[in-house]
Amino acid sequence: MLSDDVKSAYNDFYTKDDSAWRMLGARSKAANIVAVCKSINPLKVLEVGAGDGSILHFLNEWNFGQELYALEIADTGVDRIRERGLSRLAEAKSFDGYEIPYADDSFDLVILSHVLEHVEHERILIRELKRIAKNIVVEVPLDYRFGVDKRMKHFLDYGHINMYTPTSLRFLLQSEGLTVISGRLSMTPPATTKFNEFVNKKAPKAFSRIMKIEMEYRIKKLIGNLMGTRKEEQFANAYTVLTQKSNQTLQIF
């Protein structure tokens, strides 16, 4: 179980007035989820660590899944989800961060978006996800870069205690008996970068800086497309992967 201090910290997190920022980021996260799930048609969908329901808002709007469920450790997050009045939301409730209060094979799909980097015992949570769903989508930020240990305070301030690359995430999921079905690398959209710089950080809204953000995104996208996956990974800010339970049981010593 999570400590009371951690739960309290996340409760305070969802009392802040930053819904516009959350919605902007959630749109691209929801789009990534839909993109990697093109091969399946999930009817009953659970998001674990659903925050304030921003991602569920878009999934509901885009008719993704017939029934949507949400679990969140922060009571304030659960309140925000319920307040949205999502037409496809069947249930939203809190949980202890590890034990999921649903029976085996309850869902067609479980979503874990920008959660795993916060989880102390990641394998325990992954095994719970496997228990309740056949299909699992995981998205993580690609924080790992050379010299990342020099920026520990920055990442710990955001609660990021785990670092992933696409390869290390796939290794973790496959070593837990999951089969990778599809994956997607994504860069932070220019709209999000501009909001962070000009609204969150209150930087002067210079035309030259706006154009630089737009051009940098396009150039990186083009170079990644031309030079392949390794270069795409270098520029990407997030990785989204769809996995399914495999028949093979792996023994971890």
Side-chain angles (χ1 to χ4, degrees), residues 145-153 155:
R145 297 289 189 274
F146 177 79
V148 71
D149 57 316
K150 306 298 184 184
R151 303 180 64 212
M152 281 187 65
K153 185 180 184 306
F155 291 110

Side-chain angles (χ1 to χ4, degrees), residues 9-30 47 49-58 72 74 76-77 80-81 84 113-114 118 158 192 195-196 199-200:
Y10 280 99
N11 267 326
D12 293 340
F13 196 62
Y14 296 111
T15 60
K16 298 175 183 177
D17 186 20
D18 56 359
S19 59
W21 169 245
R22 292 183 182 285
M23 291 295 284
L24 194 58
R27 177 182 283 276
S28 58
K29 294 170 186 174
E47 184 180 6
D52 66 351
S54 301
I55 291 175
L56 288 174
H57 165 88
F58 290 105
E72 169 56 41
T76 53
R80 298 291 178 275
I81 295 168
R84 289 182 181 277
S113 180
H114 291 255
H118 300 273
Y158 286 95
T192 304
F195 189 100
N196 188 45
V199 179
N200 289 346

Side-chain angles (χ1 to χ4, degrees), residues 64-249:
F64 182 85
Q66 290 185 4
E67 292 182 20
L68 302 177
Y69 292 75
L71 287 178
E72 169 56 41
I73 63 170
D75 293 334
T76 53
V78 174
D79 291 341
R80 298 291 178 275
I81 295 168
R82 291 171 178 167
E83 288 167 4
R84 289 182 181 277
L86 304 179
S87 61
R88 293 172 180 247
L89 183 68
E91 187 171 48
K93 58 185 180 181
S94 60
F95 79 127
D96 70 0
Y98 289 104
E99 294 185 14
I100 297 179
Y102 290 107
D104 295 359
D105 301 315
S106 292
F107 297 94
D108 300 307
L109 174 69
V110 62
I111 296 166
L112 197 71
S113 180
H114 291 255
V115 172
L116 205 58
E117 65 271 17
H118 300 273
V119 177
E120 183 178 5
H121 305 292
E122 54 198 336
R123 289 184 182 272
I124 293 175
L125 181 57
I126 291 169
R127 290 166 192 175
E128 272 288 85
L129 304 186
K130 273 182 62 181
R131 181 182 65 78
I132 62 165
K134 177 183 178 182
N135 302 288
I136 302 169
V137 167
V138 179
E139 180 171 304
V140 295
L142 298 180
D143 293 332
Y144 181 81
R145 297 289 189 274
F146 177 79
V148 71
D149 57 316
K150 306 298 184 184
R151 303 180 64 212
M152 281 187 65
K153 185 180 184 306
H154 168 80
F155 291 110
L156 293 179
D157 283 347
Y158 286 95
H160 291 197
I161 62 173
N162 300 316
M163 296 280 163
Y164 301 99
T165 66
T167 302
S168 68
L169 179 64
R170 290 194 300 269
F171 182 92
L172 172 63
L173 297 172
Q174 289 172 155
S175 70
E176 284 296 330
L178 294 166
T179 300
V180 173
I181 304 302
S182 60
R184 178 183 175 90
L185 291 161
S186 57
M187 294 191 301
T188 302
T192 304
T193 304
K194 286 185 282 187
F195 189 100
N196 188 45
E197 184 157 338
F198 303 130
V199 179
N200 289 346
K201 297 180 180 178
K202 297 180 173 56
K205 203 170 184 178
F207 178 75
S208 59
R209 180 57 185 149
I210 293 172
M211 292 305 298
K212 183 178 179 181
I213 291 171
E214 293 279 357
M215 289 303 298
E216 184 176 343
Y217 178 86
R218 293 175 188 175
I219 291 169
K220 286 182 177 179
K221 195 82 172 175
L222 178 62
I223 293 173
N225 289 338
L226 291 174
M227 299 189 67
T229 303
R230 182 174 294 185
K231 185 59 69 173
E232 280 187 288
E233 287 190 11
Q234 180 183 335
F235 293 144
N237 302 105
Y239 180 62
T240 317
V241 62
L242 170 67
T243 66
Q244 289 179 352
K245 293 180 188 178
S246 64
N247 295 324
Q248 181 182 7
T249 301

